[in-house]
Amino acid sequence: MSEALSGLASHLSVAALVAALALAGAGVAILLIRGDAPSRLAARLCMFAALTLLLVGHGFAPYEPHDLSDVEPARRLAVYVASFLWWIGLGRCLTGLAAVFVIFERKPRESRLFRQLIGVVVYLCVGFAILGQLFRIPVGAVFATSGAVAIILGLALQSTLSDVFSGVAMSLGRSYAIGDWITLEGGVEGRVIETNWQNVHLLTAAHDVAIIPNSVVAKTRIVNQSWPEPSRAAKAAARLRPTMAPAEIVAIARDALESCNLILHDPAPLVAVKALSATAIELELTGRAPDRAQLDAARNEMFDRLYRHAAAAGLRFAPEAGDGAPPPEADVATDAAARLAQSLPLFASLADGDRAALAAKMRRRDYEPGEVVIGAGAVADALCVVLSGALALTQKHGEREHELARLGAGDYFGEGGLLLGEPARGVIRAITRVVVYEIGAQDLAPILRERPELSRALGAALALHRTLEQNDEKAAAPGRAANSARRFADRIRRIFALDLNETD
């Protein structure tokens, strides 16, 4: 033993230098490969092996107990430092093994709580080993004392410990993960943004943060809305006047759903007739939003599309049962083109006579499912307004065709070719049977000259369609989109010799 200590003390400067270099190298390696747990573990094992070989090569085994009562202070300090570094290195290797085990088991969403608990247990064991092996303190007495202290602390921290162990249990049970949308019994719901030793943090739909203790979450009923799949059912109910056969009304509602952009189309959305009477037909529309965060927006779009398709088809909404006599009927144009001209926001600023004159000049076009309305590279010679049905705007990337957006009743397209002479970059194809009304340049030009403000709406439509075709999220930012709309509006005014002083 004395020879080993003498050897270690004689090479104390060399040992300290090598140990310092080893620790520095380990720190640099960890910083360089911070995101790769297996590589971090390999670096730790290499540094630990080098330190072990260094100490054993000098005749000193740090894992064996040593009696240092008769050793000089300098040598005793050398033994303490070397043994302490060795045991800490062992602890880091064990915690690295735990981290790699989680990754190898394909549990990337495992909470940090579980890994932190393993680290606490490992370093607690290392601390007891250092006390017993290095300082020769009776570990049994330490355990007995720590047990009494643990009982006192446990009684004082009962609530906190309940939260901690509840968090451990939920982490192991994997009831939810970061990013999941959950609903707790009592009506609290939100997206999980953080879990720690004591609380679960939920971001609610109102963008408030609800902080709930782990013990409360563990005792309540949890509904995970993001597992096993994140899509959620979006339902919309409507009452229409039965002026058509139910099958025709269902077909119109189904076209409205097919034209939605914010719901999934596989599986296909559903339309069900819930009730039929002399005054109303009640429909229930069901689609699936991609996730809980888009559920409200998807439901709003379903109502909007149903309203537009119903208005274009001449359908009227029925009052709720018990609301008394229905209000008097407003004058509704019976001609489809006239209904379209009246309901289209683009022509809202026109007088009734102008809308009627425009409707008389519209040309009707019918398309079957799968038929191409405008092909890639084609230059449209008319502004196309959708009366009924659903269309898809697609673009080819490589060998695959990607759907960018869907169009339905009240949407219009072809303004780029008609107004600017630009070829279409994507393909517009009918999904269902589609009825489109076309407005030629010779019919639109007089209206633009009389109503220059229409150039703003057409410029905004051009900017939106261009953004969809480019599939560019940056171009969709509000500021850039507004600039693009103004640019297109100015080009339209110059082409049609409109008043350029008309402000946006």
Side-chain angles (χ1 to χ4, degrees):
M1 176 62 190
S2 60
E3 295 178 358
L5 294 176
S6 299
L8 179 63
S10 63
H11 296 83
L12 179 60
S13 59
V14 178
L17 178 61
V18 175
L21 291 176
L23 292 176
V28 172
I30 291 172
L31 290 176
L32 292 176
I33 52 179
R34 191 173 181 83
D36 189 350
S39 300
R40 281 204 310 269
L41 175 62
R44 292 178 183 179
L45 290 174
C46 290
M47 296 304 106
F48 180 70
L51 184 60
T52 302
L53 292 176
L54 174 68
L55 295 176
V56 173
H58 285 80
F60 176 72
Y63 44 82
E64 294 180 352
H66 303 293
D67 185 6
L68 304 178
S69 57
D70 299 331
V71 180
E72 297 178 358
R75 295 182 180 180
R76 186 183 307 169
L77 178 62
V79 173
Y80 285 159
V81 171
S83 299
F84 183 79
L85 290 177
W86 188 88
W87 282 106
I88 293 299
L90 177 61
R92 289 180 61 80
C93 290
L94 293 177
T95 55
L97 281 172
V100 171
F101 172 77
V102 172
I103 291 177
F104 284 167
E105 286 294 312
R106 297 182 180 180
K107 297 180 180 179
R109 297 189 303 175
E110 188 73 342
S111 169
R112 294 194 305 268
L113 187 64
F114 186 54
R115 292 195 297 271
Q116 291 171 352
L117 182 62
I118 292 178
V120 169
V121 173
V122 167
Y123 284 113
L124 189 60
C125 294
V126 167
F128 279 118
I130 291 175
L131 292 177
Q133 297 292 94
L134 186 58
F135 296 101
R136 301 185 65 83
I137 297 176
V139 178
V142 174
F143 269 114
T145 305
S146 62
V149 174
I151 292 175
I152 297 173
L153 290 177
L155 293 175
L157 303 174
Q158 184 176 3
S159 178
T160 301
L161 292 177
S162 175
D163 292 335
V164 170
F165 286 107
S166 296
V168 173
M170 289 188 296
S171 180
L172 294 176
R174 297 179 61 82
S175 303
Y176 52 81
I178 301 294
D180 285 355
W181 192 282
I182 64 174
T183 300
L184 304 180
E185 189 175 12
V188 179
E189 65 175 26
R191 182 166 54 88
V192 181
I193 58 175
E194 183 183 349
T195 59
N196 54 39
W197 290 92
Q198 287 186 298
N199 306 305
V200 177
H201 294 227
L202 300 181
L203 181 65
T204 67
H207 286 272
D208 300 323
V209 176
I211 303 175
I212 307 172
N214 289 332
S215 57
V216 174
V217 178
K219 296 175 182 178
T220 189
R221 184 181 294 109
I222 303 174
V223 177
N224 192 329
Q225 301 184 32
S226 301
W227 190 87
E229 59 175 301
S231 64
R232 308 301 303 166
K235 294 182 179 292
R239 289 168 54 88
L240 296 167
R241 299 197 178 164
T243 55
M244 297 181 181
E248 296 180 51
I249 297 178
V250 167
I252 293 171
R254 188 176 291 115
D255 287 347
L257 290 180
E258 288 292 344
S259 67
C260 290
N261 289 289
L262 299 181
I263 64 173
L264 302 176
H265 295 280
D266 184 18
L270 302 175
V271 179
V273 177
K274 306 303 290 185
L276 177 64
S277 67
T279 58
I281 177 172
E282 297 183 14
L283 301 180
E284 183 181 71
L285 289 68
T286 304
R288 296 195 71 83
D291 53 51
R292 173 61 181 80
Q294 301 184 56
L295 185 58
D296 293 336
R299 187 183 295 113
N300 292 342
E301 186 189 34
M302 291 166 62
F303 280 118
D304 177 73
R305 293 289 185 173
L306 178 62
Y307 177 87
R308 289 160 58 178
H309 279 75
L315 289 172
R316 307 288 291 178
F317 287 89
E320 292 291 333
D323 283 354
E329 290 283 353
D331 292 333
V332 180
T334 56
D335 179 71
R339 289 199 308 268
L340 192 60
Q342 286 184 359
S343 62
L344 197 63
L346 178 65
F347 302 132
S349 63
L350 298 181
D352 293 340
D354 293 334
R355 282 199 295 263
L358 181 64
K361 297 177 181 179
M362 291 183 178
R363 300 184 301 274
R364 174 173 171 149
R365 294 286 185 269
D366 293 79
Y367 299 92
E368 296 298 321
E371 189 174 353
V372 174
V373 180
I374 296 181
V379 179
D381 59 357
L383 179 67
C384 303
V385 185
V386 183
L387 174 70
S388 63
L391 305 97
L393 170 63
T394 62
Q395 198 170 61
K396 199 169 185 179
H397 296 283
E399 298 298 323
R400 300 186 61 183
E401 198 170 51
H402 296 271
E403 183 177 305
L404 303 180
R406 293 203 171 194
L407 307 174
D411 290 327
Y412 48 91
F413 56 92
E415 67 280 357
L418 173 67
L419 302 175
L420 305 179
E422 296 182 345
R425 301 186 181 184
V427 177
I428 296 181
R429 181 180 287 108
I431 300 174
T432 64
R433 293 188 63 183
V434 174
V435 177
V436 172
Y437 277 85
E438 297 180 351
I439 306 173
Q442 68 278 8
D443 300 322
L444 189 61
I447 299 176
L448 280 172
R449 292 191 181 98
E450 184 178 351
R451 303 284 184 178
E453 64 271 14
L454 289 180
S455 61
R456 294 199 300 268
L458 291 171
L462 269 169
L464 175 61
H465 291 167
R466 182 63 53 81
T467 300
L468 292 174
E469 291 173 351
Q470 292 175 345
N471 197 20
D472 186 359
E473 293 183 359
K474 293 182 179 179
R480 296 189 60 178
N483 291 334
S484 299
R486 283 192 292 268
R487 264 197 327 272
F488 286 128
D490 290 341
R491 289 179 62 185
I492 294 170
R493 292 170 184 171
R494 283 193 292 269
I495 291 173
F496 286 88
L498 306 180
D499 183 9
L500 291 177
N501 293 324
E502 178 74 23
T503 57
D504 291 332

